[in-house]
Amino acid sequence: MLAGGSGVAEVRASTRAQVVSVVGSSVSGMSSSVVEAPVARARADAAAAPDGDAAIRGADGVPLSWAERHPLAAALDAMVPGVGLVEVLAGCEPADVDDAALVELVAGWERVVSWAVAGQAAALAELGRRRVGERAEFVGDEVAARLGVTRAVAEGKVGLAIGLDRVPVVADALAEGRLDVRRATVLVDELARVPEHVAVEVAAAVLPQAVGCTAPQLRQRLRRMELLRDPDGAVVRHRRACDQRRVELVPAADAMAWLSAYLPAVDAVAVQATLTALARDVSPEERDRFDARTLDQRRADALVDLATRWWDAGVHPDGRPLRTVQGRAPHLTVTATAATVLGLEDQPGVLDGYGVIPSNLVRRLAARSTWEPLLVDAATGEPLARSTRRYAPTQPLRDAVTARDRTCTFPGCRVPATRCDIDHLQPYDQHAAATDPTSATDPASATDPASATDPASTSGPASPPGAAGAAGAAGAGVDQTRLDNLQALCRHHHRAKTHAGWTPARSPDGTTVWTSPTGHAYDRPPAWPDPDPPPPDDPGPAWTDDPPDAHTPTRDPRPPDTEHDEPPF
């Protein structure tokens, strides 16, 4: 280690010159004053520091401050987020700077992220102000489609924008880089539940200490202040939050999933205590065979046992039968090739509501399930079903639509098709159907008992019969309720189509193209992939006589490959 003298001064001078040249090449007008300012502020403090904290001294014998030893780091630390900081950061090569500067590069980019998110939030807030009436509900869908993210992620961005617009002091701190996105999100989320005047008061009180808190610490501090300053409102907010209770499933890797519940705190603790009690109460038979399961594993198994006993029986605890969905009793649906089920190949299957599962799990489920054949197109692998002239689709049509679409057909939406409405892309023209003399005798449109009682089996109230269809979509002698004019839509996106200016159209290859109110077009690729192509070294069928005619397949139509299907995240 160098210990003062002219040699150290020369090292310091050359380092400073190098920093000025690096930074100055990125930002016009950048000079040594940017580095000197933090150095001057810190040098007086360094003079009073013990020798162990400032072992390197200048030519005058005064210990060098941290800013003098790391001038680039000090300069970056002093810069506010904006275009200038972005240009400086982009001009710094991480491999060429010291450790202190690397840490400040990370911190600088974090401030830039805060600044960028604040700018995005301002644009989102303005977009929300322009969406009035029924369209206000679907701002998140416009953002989700444009960014290619889920609706939940997009609505999180919209919620942050609304919260920042409501509490400007938090928006300013985010834009200035004094607050990161995580802490800003905690602030606006927690303050969204309180009246605006309380939110402004609490934000002003907690913001100075927010930088020194982790996000969980900040959340707990805000909740305590909320209870102290607005106890009556806390009771009302709890009742309102209880209305949002729900259970959610999130697919995970290795054919596993997370099942989470949003419950009142007392109920959640009670459920956990019940599962723990059941997990600890091991039967004598289990003890005799040395049950090696952990307590966590027993809790999970107890939850499955409690929930699925009624599902297996098909009844409520009071004995009432469970309601049908898409014309069928509650059930698991696994789609796989016949060869996979028979053990002749190992193509993955698709579990509705989750995604792809391995072939061994497919066979294990198939061993105790009812098999149903699914007719598919030999060229594309897409499910087929006979059309009908009636409004309500037949059971085979519903099955084919849910098998083909798998999820809601809005881009990025992963609501399983079995929980969606079956919607007509071109609205059903009741007048054309009434004047069609063949519709009354259509054998494929015979009354389906399920369609009269299952609200998800038809287009639902968001798209009632009687709306005029586009040219060519309806008319005498045309089956309006046919596979290529039907799609699975969750109720939310069904309402977006009907009331918010979104327009879907299906391409010949099965892609659903959605046009937004702003004219942007977004593709939702078909969920059912093409069949596997033949191996490269396969010469194809050996024709011994004449060449095949136009109706003879030139390759063996293999079952569809589900390997590339995305799980419903």
Side-chain angles (χ1 to χ4, degrees):
M1 178 180 294
L2 297 175
S6 61
V8 176
E10 291 171 2
V11 170
R12 180 183 60 181
S14 62
T15 302
R16 186 172 299 168
Q18 179 184 9
V19 170
V20 172
S21 65
V22 170
V23 177
S25 64
S26 302
V27 184
S28 60
M30 192 77 171
S31 67
S32 60
S33 62
V34 177
V35 177
E36 294 292 351
V39 170
R41 289 196 300 268
R43 189 164 188 179
D45 296 335
D51 288 344
D53 294 335
I56 300 179
R57 296 175 180 271
D60 53 5
V62 177
L64 298 180
S65 68
W66 178 88
E68 288 180 302
R69 297 198 306 273
H70 308 288
L72 176 57
L76 292 173
D77 180 53
M79 295 187 71
V80 297
V83 176
L85 178 56
V86 171
E87 292 180 343
V88 171
L89 293 172
C92 292
E93 176 56 49
D96 295 338
V97 302
D98 60 17
D99 291 358
L102 279 176
V103 173
E104 290 304 325
L105 282 176
V106 173
W109 282 119
E110 187 71 14
R111 294 198 302 278
V112 168
V113 169
S114 298
W115 171 69
V117 170
Q120 183 187 65
L124 280 171
E126 178 60 28
L127 180 63
R129 282 189 286 268
R130 297 184 185 185
R131 294 291 182 264
V132 296
E134 291 181 321
R135 291 193 176 185
E137 178 186 350
F138 303 99
V139 174
D141 297 286
E142 292 190 62
V143 177
R146 181 63 184 87
L147 300 184
V149 298
T150 64
R151 176 184 161 203
V153 170
E155 288 186 343
K157 293 179 180 293
V158 174
L160 177 62
I162 294 173
L164 293 174
D165 193 50
R166 182 170 177 257
V167 189
V169 65
V170 179
D172 292 343
L174 182 67
E176 295 166 6
R178 294 183 285 116
L179 205 62
D180 64 5
V181 178
R182 179 80 186 279
R183 292 181 180 86
T185 302
V186 170
L187 277 165
V188 299
D189 285 350
E190 296 298 323
L191 297 177
R193 301 192 302 269
V194 301
E196 187 168 345
H197 71 280
V198 176
V200 173
E201 178 185 350
V202 171
V206 77
L207 198 57
Q209 294 81 32
V211 178
C213 298
T214 64
Q217 290 171 338
L218 179 60
R219 194 183 303 276
Q220 288 299 320
R221 181 173 296 184
L222 287 167
R223 290 177 181 175
R224 179 177 176 82
M225 294 180 68
E226 172 193 345
L227 293 175
L228 291 174
R229 300 191 181 212
D230 190 21
D232 295 335
V235 176
V236 176
R237 289 188 292 275
H238 173 71
R239 292 173 182 167
R240 190 185 309 139
C242 287
D243 293 338
Q244 305 299 318
R245 61 191 182 276
R246 59 189 178 274
V247 178
E248 296 178 343
L249 183 144
V250 179
D254 304 318
M256 301 291 287
W258 291 100
L259 186 68
S260 60
Y262 180 64
L263 301 170
V266 174
D267 292 344
V269 172
V271 170
Q272 179 76 348
T274 301
L275 295 176
T276 301
L278 292 173
R280 286 175 174 164
D281 189 15
V282 182
S283 65
E285 294 80 8
E286 291 174 327
R287 282 196 300 267
D288 291 342
R289 65 172 185 259
F290 184 66
D291 188 350
R293 293 177 300 169
T294 65
L295 185 62
D296 281 340
Q297 292 169 342
R298 290 192 186 115
R299 281 197 197 100
D301 294 343
L303 175 62
V304 174
D305 291 341
L306 285 174
T308 58
R309 65 175 59 184
W310 307 110
W311 187 66
D312 290 336
V315 297
H316 287 271
D318 61 4
R320 291 180 295 112
L322 296 176
R323 182 180 178 181
T324 62
V325 178
Q326 298 294 5
R328 297 182 180 274
H331 63 286
L332 290 178
T333 300
V334 179
T335 306
T337 66
T340 296
V341 173
L342 296 173
L344 303 178
E345 65 179 18
D346 288 317
Q347 290 288 339
V350 177
L351 173 63
D352 281 8
Y354 174 81
V356 293
I357 57 176
S359 58
N360 65 319
L361 183 54
V362 170
R363 287 188 283 271
R364 194 170 73 188
L365 291 170
R368 50 190 176 91
S369 303
T370 301
W371 300 8
E372 292 186 0
L374 183 64
L375 184 64
V376 299
D377 187 287
T380 66
E382 186 174 296
L384 300 175
R386 184 176 179 181
S387 61
T388 176
R389 295 188 176 94
R390 298 287 180 89
Y391 172 68
T394 62
Q395 185 64 54
L397 264 174
R398 290 199 296 269
D399 292 343
V401 172
T402 56
R404 179 198 64 194
D405 293 343
R406 295 183 179 167
T407 66
C408 170
T409 56
F410 190 88
C413 183
R414 307 308 291 170
V415 175
T418 52
R419 287 165 38 198
C420 292
D421 297 335
I422 303 300
D423 172 60
H424 290 78
L425 277 114
Q426 298 293 345
Y428 187 86
D429 190 338
Q430 186 70 31
H431 175 73
T435 58
D436 182 2
T438 63
S439 62
T441 58
D442 179 12
S445 61
T447 302
D448 187 341
S451 66
T453 58
D454 183 5
S457 65
T458 64
S459 296
S463 182
V478 177
D479 291 348
Q480 300 182 61
T481 305
R482 60 186 188 276
L483 190 59
D484 64 353
N485 193 40
L486 296 175
Q487 63 178 347
L489 282 185
C490 70
R491 185 55 56 87
H492 175 81
H493 290 122
H494 197 166
R495 295 183 63 253
K497 169 179 176 277
T498 306
H499 301 296
W502 285 88
T503 306
R506 191 188 303 280
S507 301
D509 66 353
T511 299
T512 304
V513 181
W514 285 80
T515 304
S516 75
T518 60
H520 289 81
Y522 305 104
D523 291 349
R524 192 272 194 182
W528 198 279
D530 292 335
D532 286 338
D537 57 352
D538 186 356
W543 303 103
T544 56
D545 297 315
D546 296 332
D549 59 28
H551 302 289
T552 305
T554 58
R555 63 171 177 167
D556 186 19
R558 301 187 180 187
D561 176 15
T562 58
E563 183 177 1
H564 302 294
D565 289 342
E566 296 180 358
F569 295 121

